Amino acid sequence: MLGVLTGFAIIGAVVATGYLVARIRLLPDTAQPVLGRLAFFVLSPALLFTVLAEADTSELFSALLPVSIAAAVACFVLYAVVARVLWRRAVPETTVGALASGYTNANNIGLPVAAYVLGDPALVAPVILFQLVVAGPLALTVLDVSTSGRVSLGRILSQPVRNPIIIGSVLGVIVSVTGLELPDPVLEPFRLIGAAAVPVVLLLFGMSLHGRRVLAAGTGRRDVLLALVLKVAVMPVVAWVVGALVIGLEGAALFTVVTLAALPTAQNVFVYASRFERGTTIARDAVLLSSALSVPALIVIAAFLAP
């Protein structure tokens, strides 16, 4: 479990640095929205392009992919039904909450966990593929349409060419699937820019914690708690059921899909919420609390399923 604890400790240190930056007012009040736009429009697309472009096609479309999709979709749907149908939440907040319940931190935490716990960082590639090429674009389209007040077929169809995260992800998959060998001078600028994405997002997240209390009254506590239960408890269980009882996975493969399902909510959810200025409190609290609760969850999973 040293790999799990190490990965979380590194991330926690960067988040704490961001909190300190905000606390001592090192940057002006406009820093957070500026950094948020930088991460969304420049840094994250470059990172996602390089991650997917350099991924092995066999890893991207492995047998782990349908299990990861089933577990995530189950949580998305469960959250949406409760929040939208029963609680009558607005579409943007429902979308952010659904993402918080099933969109895992496959990059910042998933890669170190896959490397140190599962023994192969490429095992997280199917999760990254589904989230960045399918779940993310769909959620961003819903957020764009529901917050703009303009619903048209043209706006929906043009979403992929207007969103840099979608563009970067799709181009990365194309490079990987076609086997195109890009020379290092072409890839290196993307690597350099993309390398700044994770620390900037973590710093931004830490800055957002200053002056705010987690699960404060009037901030949608039950929305956050619902997302937490789905993310930390329900999603790993669904992954086990689908993997073991439906597909027939066992041993290391079953351990892998359940472990990846138990990863905390991705910081990308907070980035998306910040971009559209809807559901930011739900996203922030879900990311923070799921990161803390995922540690004991991963330890329990390793104790029962590790081969």
Side-chain angles (χ1 to χ4, degrees):
M1 287 298 96
L2 181 61
V4 175
L5 298 177
T6 300
F8 278 93
I10 293 172
I11 290 168
V14 182
V15 171
T17 301
Y19 176 85
L20 181 62
V21 167
R23 184 176 179 83
I24 65 176
R25 297 185 179 278
L26 183 63
L27 299 176
D29 294 338
T30 57
Q32 289 191 44
V34 170
L35 289 176
R37 291 181 64 84
L38 178 66
F40 185 87
F41 286 100
V42 181
L43 306 182
S44 293
L47 173 64
L48 300 178
F49 171 73
T50 56
V51 167
L52 292 173
E54 297 176 329
D56 188 342
T57 304
S58 62
E59 295 289 352
L60 285 176
F61 299 100
S62 70
L64 308 182
L65 181 60
V67 181
S68 300
I69 293 175
V73 170
C75 292
F76 293 156
V77 173
L78 285 172
Y79 185 94
V81 168
V82 174
R84 182 64 179 165
V85 177
L86 299 181
W87 296 345
R88 303 295 182 182
R89 296 292 188 260
V91 172
E93 281 71 22
T94 299
T95 303
V96 171
L99 284 176
S101 69
Y103 198 104
T104 64
N105 196 329
N107 284 329
N108 305 342
I109 295 178
L111 288 174
V113 166
Y116 293 118
V117 180
L118 304 176
D120 183 4
L123 290 173
V124 79
V127 178
I128 295 177
L129 174 67
F130 167 67
Q131 292 186 164
L132 299 183
V133 178
V134 180
L138 287 175
L140 289 169
T141 300
V142 173
L143 286 170
D144 184 30
V145 172
S146 61
T147 56
S148 67
R150 298 188 300 274
V151 181
S152 66
L153 181 61
R155 188 174 183 86
I156 294 174
L157 294 178
S158 65
Q159 170 67 18
V161 298
R162 293 186 291 107
N163 190 298
I165 287 182
I166 299 176
I167 294 172
S169 301
V170 171
L171 290 178
V173 171
I174 291 174
V175 171
S176 176
V177 171
T178 59
L180 180 63
E181 293 287 341
L182 297 178
D184 281 340
V186 174
L187 273 178
E188 196 58 29
F190 291 97
R191 293 194 186 109
L192 287 173
I193 296 173
V198 172
V200 168
V201 169
L202 292 176
L203 287 170
L204 177 63
F205 181 70
M207 293 168 65
S208 72
L209 297 176
H210 179 254
R212 295 172 174 84
R213 187 161 57 90
V214 177
L215 294 180
T219 60
R221 280 188 292 194
R222 62 177 179 175
D223 301 69
V224 176
L225 293 175
L226 173 61
L228 283 175
V229 170
L230 291 172
K231 184 70 210 68
V232 179
V234 175
M235 192 170 176
V237 171
V238 173
W240 181 85
V241 170
V242 175
L245 304 183
V246 178
I247 296 184
L249 297 179
E250 57 185 15
L254 182 61
F255 176 49
T256 296
V257 294
V258 177
T259 297
L260 296 179
L263 293 173
T265 302
Q267 277 92 5
N268 275 356
V269 178
F270 176 72
V271 173
Y272 299 162
S274 299
R275 166 68 182 88
F276 293 96
E277 299 181 347
R278 300 292 294 268
T280 53
T281 301
I282 297 172
R284 185 196 66 230
D285 288 359
V287 170
L288 180 64
L289 294 174
S290 65
S291 296
L293 295 174
S294 286
V295 177
L298 289 169
I299 292 175
V300 170
I301 291 169
F304 283 95
L305 295 179

